[in-house]
Amino acid sequence: MAGEKPDVLLVGARKPVLIGGLEPKVTLHDYLGAKDKDAFIASVGDKIRAIAVAYTASKIDAAFMQRFPKLEQISSFGVGYDHIDAKWAGAHDITVTNTPGVLDEEVADTTLGLLLCTVREFPQSDRYVRAGKWPEKQFPLTKATLRNRTVGMAGMGRIGKAIARRLEAFGVPVVYHSRNKQDVAYKYYPKLLDMARDVDTLIVIVPGGAATANLINAEVLKALGPSGVLINMARGSVVDEPALIDALKNRTIYSAGLDVFAKEPHVPKELLEMDHIVLFPHLGSSTEVTRAAMDQLVVDNILAWAAGKPPLTPVPETPYPAKR
Ligand code: 8YV
C-alpha cells in the first residue's frame, strides 16, 4: 500500500541512533527482544523486506536469510561483514551494505596505540606503578623499541592506508602485502611469506572470512622471527591462534598485540597468562562518536533503500546495480 512503512527486522541491540533514525520511516521488528525466535520469525518473516544488523557478532547465514522470502536489503554495522553470507545474498538479489570510511581514522589510532603498548610495554608499566613497585626499583628498560623497526602491513585498504600514514609520521618504514597492488608508494610484496621474512613487525588489517582464514600461520610467524611483533586488528580467524600461542610460548616471535580473537569474547587461557603480550577487547572503533557514525550509516542505507534510492555503501559481492 502506498505510504505504508516497510517492515524491517532489527538484529541486535536497540541502539539510540538506530531506533531514532529508523522508527519514523520503517516498522521495526525486534529480533533480539523476541523470546521465542522461531515463533517470532513465523509471525513476521513473510513481511520483512530489510534487516538492520546492529553488531558484527550476529550471524546472518543463508538459512537465516531464507526465512524472509521478501528480503531485499541487509544494512550491517561494521566495516567487516564476514558474519554475513554476502555471496549467497548477491545470488538471491539481496543487497548487503556495511559501514566503511567512517571508522578508518579511529581504528588507525587504536592500531598505533596497540603497537606502542606492545613494543614499549605500557600496560605492564601501568600495572607496575599500581602494584607499588616503583619506589623499590625503576621499571626495566624495554628490549624492544619502535625505532629501527620495519612494519609489514598485511592489508592495504582504507584502514591500512590510514595506519601507514601514521607510521610514516612516526618515521617507521612501511611495506605491504595484499591481494592486489595498491596505488601507494610503499614496497609491495605479492607473497606474504617474503614480506614476513623482510620485516620484524606485522600489522594485520585484511577482511575476515574464508579467503583469509589462518593467513597468519606457523610458517609466517617463523619467518617474522625472534624479534617479531604481530599486531592483529582484523579478525581472529585471520591468525592461526594455536600456532600463535606456540610461537609466543617458544619465543619464535617476540610479542603480540591482539584486538581480535577466534572466539570472542573468550580469550584462550594461554594468552591471558602471558604477561609480555597486550590484549584489547576488540575496541578498534569503539568510541561513542565513531560508533554513532557507524550506526548512522546503517540507518542511512536503510532509509535510502526505503526511499527507492541506491544503497550508499554496498559490499563488492552485491554491487548496485546488480551485475547480470
Ligand atoms: C567493531 C569492526 O569494533 O567494523 C568492524 O568490522 O570490527 C569494529 O569496528 C566491531 O564490529 C564490534 O562489533
Side-chain angles (χ1 to χ4, degrees):
M1 220 194 297
E4 204 173 274
K5 287 176 169 183
D7 290 281
V8 175
L9 187 74
L10 173 65
V11 177
R14 290 177 58 84
K15 295 191 268 180
V17 174
L18 298 182
I19 302 304
L22 291 173
E23 254 176 1
K25 299 283 182 187
V26 308
T27 302
L28 277 181
H29 301 272
D30 179 7
Y31 183 68
L32 190 68
K35 280 203 181 76
D36 182 340
K37 307 283 187 231
D38 278 337
F40 178 70
I41 294 181
S43 71
V44 300
D46 278 354
K47 55 184 180 180
I48 295 296
R49 290 176 50 213
I51 300 179
V53 186
Y55 282 119
T56 52
S58 317
K59 202 155 190 62
I60 311 289
D61 56 15
F64 188 77
M65 289 183 266
Q66 253 162 358
R67 302 188 72 180
F68 307 98
K70 293 197 186 127
L71 187 58
E72 295 169 27
Q73 165 98 4
I74 297 173
S75 176
S76 183
F77 169 90
V79 66
Y81 55 95
D82 48 312
H83 54 293
I84 302 174
D85 189 342
K87 209 166 154 205
W88 190 93
H92 293 82
D93 291 326
I94 299 163
T95 303
V96 177
T97 61
N98 61 345
T99 61
V102 291
L103 75 174
D104 300 348
E105 304 300 324
E106 196 78 77
V107 177
D109 289 349
T110 310
T111 308
L112 265 292
L114 180 54
L115 175 63
L116 279 170
C117 283
T118 307
V119 170
R120 294 289 312 280
E121 301 178 28
F122 293 144
Q124 292 88 332
S125 66
D126 176 88
R127 294 199 284 271
Y128 189 88
V129 173
R130 288 173 199 279
K133 293 183 183 167
W134 193 8
E136 291 161 29
K137 203 160 76 152
Q138 182 66 32
F139 185 70
L141 306 182
T142 59
K143 284 196 181 60
T145 167
L146 201 54
R147 302 303 102 208
N148 306 321
R149 282 189 172 265
T150 299
V151 168
M153 305 274 310
M156 190 48 86
R158 272 178 289 239
I159 301 175
K161 290 186 180 103
I163 295 169
R165 278 201 308 276
R166 284 161 174 74
L167 289 167
E168 275 192 73
F170 273 71
V172 176
V174 175
V175 299
Y176 76 104
H177 160 79
S178 57
R179 257 175 317 174
N180 304 306
K181 198 168 185 301
Q182 299 290 311
D183 186 18
V184 287
Y186 315 114
K187 179 176 176 184
Y188 173 63
Y189 284 82
K191 289 200 179 120
L192 173 63
L193 204 54
D194 291 340
M195 183 177 81
R197 272 191 209 105
D198 283 1
V199 302
D200 50 18
T201 309
L202 188 57
I203 296 184
V204 186
I205 189 74
V206 291
T212 56
N214 289 340
L215 181 73
I216 310 300
N217 56 21
E219 211 183 356
V220 172
L221 294 169
K222 191 160 179 255
L224 192 59
S227 57
V229 168
L230 173 76
I231 303 294
N232 188 6
M233 292 300 296
R235 285 288 181 269
S237 60
V238 180
V239 173
D240 178 342
E241 212 165 65
L244 173 63
I245 291 169
D246 280 350
L248 287 166
K249 268 191 188 157
N250 305 331
R251 301 285 170 146
T252 308
I253 65 168
Y254 182 72
S255 188
L258 306 172
D259 187 47
V260 288
F261 302 87
K263 294 197 177 99
E264 293 173 16
H266 306 289
V267 176
K269 196 166 159 279
E270 290 98 325
L271 293 177
L272 294 176
E273 284 169 353
M274 289 180 202
D275 194 50
H276 73 297
I277 63 171
V278 179
L279 310 172
F280 280 1
H282 197 152
L283 44 72
S285 65
S286 66
T287 61
E288 289 180 1
V289 82
T290 293
R291 287 293 175 84
M294 293 161 73
D295 288 341
Q296 188 60 49
L297 196 44
V298 172
V299 169
D300 292 346
N301 270 300
I302 291 275
L303 297 188
W305 161 82
K309 294 183 188 155
L312 304 175
T313 48
V315 303
E317 291 86 341
T318 69
Y320 187 92
K323 284 186 193 139
R324 295 263 164 235

